[in-house]
Amino acid sequence: MDTVPRIQPVDSPPTREPRFCNSAEEAISQLESLYAESTGFLRERLKEAIARGGSLTRYRACYPEVRIVTNSYAQVDSRLSFGHVSEPGTYATTITRPDLFREYLLQQIGLLLENHGVPVSIGQSDTPLPIHFAISDDTEAKFPEAGSESGIGFPLRDLFDVPDLGGTNDDIVNGNLTSADDGAKPLAPFTAQRVDYSLARLRHYTATSEEHFQPFVLFTNYQFYVDEFIRYARDAIADKHSAYSSLVAPGDHILSNSSQDIPAIPRMPQMPAYHLVRDDGKGITLVNIGVGPSNAKTATDHIAVLRPRAWLMLGHCAGLRNGQSLGDYVLAHGYLREDQVLDKDLPVWIPVPALAEIQIALESAVEEVTKFTGYNLKRIMRTGTVATIDNRNWELRSTSGPIKRLSQSRAIALDMESATIAANGFRFRVPYGTLLCVSDKPLHGELKLPGMATQFYSEQVRKHLKIGVKALESLRAMPLEFLHSRKLRSFDETAFL
């Protein structure tokens, strides 16, 4: 009896020689071709395997990659914080969804070509493309939901590659810039598998497809802001002079007419997202992350792969100073991090600084909306440290605990999300900022009671949301190179932003 295991044959797309490209357009065209070939191959083989009830052959296709080899240090504008590698060597990154990231890749590859004067190589990587990610955006094939094995008749992993956590991590953005087996250093902050993983998570958590996300993002922790954002979007769409053209709601429902209703979906997602779209692709996304640092981390972990231009936190907070009033604004210029969810990725001893461009945009928007300027602005807005904590009922602890630390830190407000969002912005090199609105003062006996809350929300949310939108609109006018400055970059960075 033969006891030697039989080696399962592997079927793959034809091997393609790398192509050297001297233009970003040519490089992206080749990336699109290779990616389409890999995903098309896997989809067809899956259809065949389902029809036959299995296969004796294993199937594998790989992600395409961008690679550059340079023997010289780049001579670049010292003001530019990205678009070039730091030293001679070989650099590479796998690529997914070149259609989705077309504008991003045009810029990043274009800068590489301009700054180094050598072609980029586009070819097949040796990183397998998991079947789940190959079929995730296939709207024609009737595959089981999310690649489920239910009803297929065989385990997917028997015939296809599945997501590998070994290549789906944050080692690069966390500063662990290890070289690949062939010696190539990372060219981009995220691998293709890490990006695909987050795209799938975004669809799950927000109930909208990744192509609807806009490059300017607002996070909030209350439904009231969603309601106001929808009203704002309807007015913007109805305005003939507005550049906004549509609103995308959970379920991928697109409203291009201000009078359209938003259809209900069977089940609202954990973090519903709404997208106010502009024809130039520079609109605004609002995500209701709910309450807590875990949600804040989850949302930013995944939205970061889309490389947004900026994100802001708009929400409510507890005012910690007696001189504050309900409805006052708090512009964070520092953070006391007691959320704990990012401590292993970004230790608490690392400062999370305020970004001047964001601070100026937010303060200017407050002045424009409220009509308070100069010294009078202090009547309604304080700038200072915001504490983020993971205990919603922190007030019940002894004053020797969190309350003492809050006083020592000079904090002026407390919430459960802002420091997490700022810290992840710092970690992922995404410009960040926080503008909160005081909704209660628990240390001074002004609690968030139902009646008070209703009156407060109706008076303040509209102004607060408008301030956030105007701040992002002013940031939109800034060149990307100016907003993404060196303050978010470490000693040894990837060339891609």
Side-chain angles (χ1 to χ4, degrees):
M1 181 177 180
D2 186 4
T3 60
V4 178
R6 183 178 64 84
I7 298 176
Q8 190 175 15
V10 177
D11 185 17
S12 297
T15 300
R16 309 291 182 187
E17 290 296 319
R19 176 179 295 182
F20 291 90
C21 303
N22 289 293
S23 76
E25 284 282 1
E26 180 187 6
I28 293 171
S29 177
Q30 183 66 3
L31 285 170
E32 291 174 336
S33 176
L34 291 174
Y35 181 76
E37 182 176 55
S38 291
T39 54
F41 172 85
L42 292 173
R43 289 170 175 173
E44 289 303 314
R45 297 303 181 272
L46 179 58
K47 291 178 186 177
E48 295 170 3
I50 292 174
R52 292 196 302 262
S55 174
L56 297 177
T57 301
R58 184 172 182 81
Y59 304 107
R60 169 168 291 171
C62 294
Y63 287 106
E65 71 167 14
V66 179
R67 182 176 291 257
I68 185 172
V69 179
T70 176
N71 297 317
S72 174
Y73 288 91
Q75 296 296 318
V76 299
D77 187 334
S78 62
R79 297 170 296 178
L80 187 65
S81 66
F82 58 93
H84 53 86
V85 298
S86 59
E87 61 185 10
T90 300
Y91 300 81
T93 185
T94 49
I95 298 293
T96 188
R97 296 295 305 276
D99 59 322
L100 180 67
F101 292 98
R102 181 175 180 83
E103 293 303 315
Y104 169 77
L105 292 171
L106 275 173
Q107 182 188 53
Q108 304 305 311
I109 294 175
L111 284 171
L112 273 183
L113 294 170
E114 177 183 341
N115 289 324
H116 292 281
V118 296
V120 295
S121 169
I122 308 297
Q124 295 166 324
S125 73
D126 58 3
T127 301
L129 201 167
I131 186 64
H132 301 74
F133 301 149
I135 67 175
S136 62
D137 64 337
D138 192 334
T139 58
E140 297 180 1
K142 303 300 181 182
F143 297 128
E145 183 180 357
S148 167
E149 296 176 5
S150 174
I152 292 181
F154 58 87
L156 283 173
R157 68 183 61 224
D158 282 356
L159 304 184
F160 299 91
D161 292 292
V162 295
D164 175 16
L165 292 181
T168 310
N169 54 54
D170 285 330
D171 282 352
I172 301 174
V173 291
N174 284 348
N176 303 320
L177 300 179
T178 56
S179 299
D181 293 340
D182 63 359
K185 300 177 183 177
L187 188 59
F190 300 106
T191 63
Q193 274 208 61
R194 171 66 171 84
V195 172
D196 270 335
Y197 170 77
S198 281
L199 296 182
R201 294 290 82 199
L202 281 178
R203 292 190 290 271
H204 171 73
Y205 284 117
T206 70
T208 53
S209 299
E210 55 271 22
E211 60 265 24
H212 297 305
F213 276 81
Q214 302 299 298
F216 298 92
V217 183
L218 292 173
F219 295 107
T220 188
N221 51 10
Y222 281 100
Q223 177 64 30
F224 300 94
Y225 287 85
V226 174
D227 297 338
E228 183 56 38
F229 188 73
I230 293 172
R231 282 193 288 270
Y232 183 92
R234 290 186 186 280
D235 290 343
I237 295 169
D239 184 354
K240 295 180 181 180
H241 302 290
S242 170
Y244 297 109
S245 57
S246 63
L247 173 69
V248 182
D252 285 345
H253 295 299
I254 301 176
L255 283 69
S256 54
N257 187 306
S258 61
S259 62
Q260 286 179 263
D261 292 329
I262 297 178
I265 59 177
R267 183 175 58 225
M268 284 298 286
Q270 183 175 346
M271 289 178 274
Y274 298 79
H275 315 278
L276 183 52
V277 178
R278 285 169 51 111
D279 292 335
D280 62 2
K282 297 179 181 179
I284 297 172
T285 286
L286 176 90
V287 185
N288 181 6
I289 59 176
V291 177
S294 180
N295 280 1
K297 179 182 184 298
T298 297
T300 48
D301 276 350
H302 300 314
I303 292 176
V305 305
L306 297 172
R307 309 316 290 143
R309 294 277 294 270
W311 62 39
L312 305 178
M313 175 64 192
L314 296 184
H316 295 158
C317 66
L320 300 178
R321 301 302 180 93
N322 192 42
Q324 292 171 302
S325 300
L326 300 187
D328 282 357
Y329 298 111
V330 173
L331 177 59
H333 76 179
Y335 300 91
L336 173 63
R337 294 173 51 201
E338 294 199 351
D339 53 321
Q340 302 188 51
V341 296
L342 281 169
D343 291 0
K344 292 183 179 179
D345 294 303
L346 193 75
V348 293
W349 53 262
I350 295 176
V352 178
L355 305 182
E357 298 83 1
I358 303 289
Q359 301 298 95
I360 292 171
L362 283 169
E363 182 171 331
S364 298
V366 173
E367 290 182 339
E368 181 179 351
V369 171
T370 66
K371 308 306 180 184
F372 284 89
T373 60
Y375 187 65
N376 283 330
L377 189 61
K378 292 180 178 291
R379 294 180 182 272
I380 61 164
M381 189 179 79
R382 293 284 299 273
T383 301
T385 297
V386 169
T388 292
I389 198 166
D390 60 354
N391 177 9
R392 179 61 187 86
N393 299 313
W394 60 274
E395 307 99 314
L396 304 181
R397 296 286 301 277
S398 166
T399 55
S400 64
I403 295 177
K404 181 179 180 181
R405 293 196 300 276
L406 291 172
S407 178
Q408 290 174 325
S409 71
R410 281 40 167 198
I412 63 172
L414 179 145
D415 78 344
M416 298 186 68
E417 301 86 24
S418 292
T420 311
I421 288 171
N424 243 3
F426 182 85
R427 185 165 75 104
F428 291 131
R429 290 74 164 169
V430 176
Y432 52 86
T434 298
L435 183 72
L436 302 176
C437 197
V438 176
S439 61
D440 61 333
K441 295 170 57 184
L443 298 184
H444 307 94
E446 296 189 53
L447 304 179
K448 189 182 295 183
L449 300 176
M452 295 168 58
T454 301
Q455 181 181 5
F456 165 74
Y457 295 146
S458 62
E459 293 175 354
Q460 295 299 330
V461 169
R462 183 181 297 272
K463 286 184 179 179
H464 198 187
L465 189 281
K466 190 175 182 180
I467 289 168
V469 170
K470 286 190 173 295
L472 288 180
E473 289 178 337
S474 68
L475 293 172
R476 179 193 297 136
M478 290 185 185
L480 182 65
E481 297 82 359
F482 187 79
L483 186 56
H484 285 261
S485 63
R486 287 193 178 277
K487 65 176 70 70
L488 290 177
R489 311 283 280 177
S490 61
F491 297 160
D492 190 14
E493 284 284 348
T494 60
F496 284 15
L497 186 64

